Amino acid sequence: MLAYPLAAALALQTLASVPHAGPQYVERCDPCSIVLHNGTPAADFRFELETVQQGRVVKVIVFERGGHTVQRLDVSSMTPLAQDESFFFGGQDINFDGWLDLLLITQKGSTNAKAEYWLYDPAADRFRDLGEFPMFRVDALHYRLSTYVSNGPAGLDFEKRDYAFKGNYLVVMSEETRKPSSSRPGWYVHTVRRLENGKLVVVLRQTVKQPP
């Protein structure tokens, strides 16, 4: 199951006529209309798709207003979807400025998913590519983002990171990892790092045995 809580709650639909408030599954955007901030006109987004041997991918997201192109957002890489699969796309405020940003899932599996993110700059009416990340969990109360990646069965091998925006930059505030030990089969190295004076510093490192 896709590791993103909102995905399970949203119905499969196309968004050609109804502006939507959050990321959801779409067959294609022709266009998808999104109200980036309450009280502002909807912005339109269209997919430029490419058919490949394994299915189809989004190559460009075209940002439009009033039928005119404002900006073209390149999708640097994407795992192809089958022709009958839908894309997960939409607006979500990830930098807590009150304006919706954009995300598009570019890779998904049984436990992990990655997405490309774009930050909206309302002064310029343009988007800035933030990059591809594991799907963010958004903590609007504490202005934090977090990611979790499972690399093995039973959650023994994992990567967890917490992020915060410092100005326009996304900064890793802490990370927790557990990796197989290279010298002791059946054991894992558990490491916790926290940001101190601009650097991630190890505050805990221990070797733990795999449960029987």
Side-chain angles (χ1 to χ4, degrees):
M1 185 175 181
L2 180 63
Y4 189 63
L6 185 60
L10 293 171
L12 176 64
Q13 55 186 299
T14 57
L15 305 166
S17 58
V18 180
H20 64 297
Q24 50 195 279
Y25 285 104
V26 296
E27 294 180 7
R28 60 178 296 126
C29 283
D30 195 25
C32 293
S33 296
I34 301 175
V35 175
L36 300 175
H37 191 282
N38 290 339
T40 63
D44 292 331
F45 299 88
R46 298 181 188 272
F47 289 167
E48 291 188 2
L49 303 176
E50 180 178 313
T51 299
V52 295
Q53 185 175 1
Q54 300 89 345
R56 58 182 186 157
V57 298
V58 178
K59 297 297 292 183
V60 175
I61 300 170
V62 182
F63 168 31
E64 298 179 344
R65 289 195 184 277
H68 300 285
T69 298
V70 176
Q71 189 180 10
R72 293 170 58 84
L73 308 174
D74 293 326
V75 181
S76 56
S77 66
M78 182 175 187
T79 300
L81 299 183
Q83 294 293 339
D84 60 349
E85 284 189 89
S86 295
F87 302 99
F88 193 73
F89 169 75
Q92 185 177 35
D93 182 8
I94 64 169
N95 62 349
F96 314 108
D97 65 351
W99 294 81
L100 295 186
D101 308 297
L102 289 183
L103 72 87
L104 171 71
I105 283 188
T106 53
Q107 180 182 334
K108 61 181 178 179
S110 58
T111 56
N112 301 316
K114 289 184 177 181
E116 190 84 13
Y117 290 87
W118 294 268
L119 297 177
Y120 180 64
D121 179 353
D125 195 27
R126 296 290 188 277
F127 287 88
R128 175 171 65 87
D129 188 4
L130 183 65
E132 185 182 57
F133 293 85
M135 290 291 293
F136 288 134
R137 293 180 182 273
V138 179
D139 181 353
L141 180 62
H142 300 99
Y143 304 101
R144 291 292 181 96
L145 306 174
S146 64
T147 59
Y148 181 89
V149 176
S150 176
N151 296 317
L156 295 173
D157 183 347
F158 67 85
E159 304 171 35
K160 179 181 178 182
R161 291 178 175 85
D162 292 319
Y163 306 79
F165 277 95
K166 302 296 184 182
N168 293 323
Y169 298 96
L170 185 62
V171 177
V172 178
M173 304 300 292
S174 66
E175 67 176 20
E176 181 180 0
T177 61
R178 185 178 293 172
K179 301 293 181 185
S181 172
S182 59
S183 59
R184 302 178 69 183
W187 289 73
Y188 289 79
V189 179
H190 184 202
T191 306
V192 177
R193 296 179 175 88
R194 293 195 178 97
L195 188 67
E196 295 182 7
N197 299 319
K199 296 182 179 180
L200 286 174
V201 177
V202 174
V203 296
L204 172 68
R205 178 167 286 153
Q206 60 184 359
T207 304
V208 296
K209 186 174 176 57
Q210 177 178 339

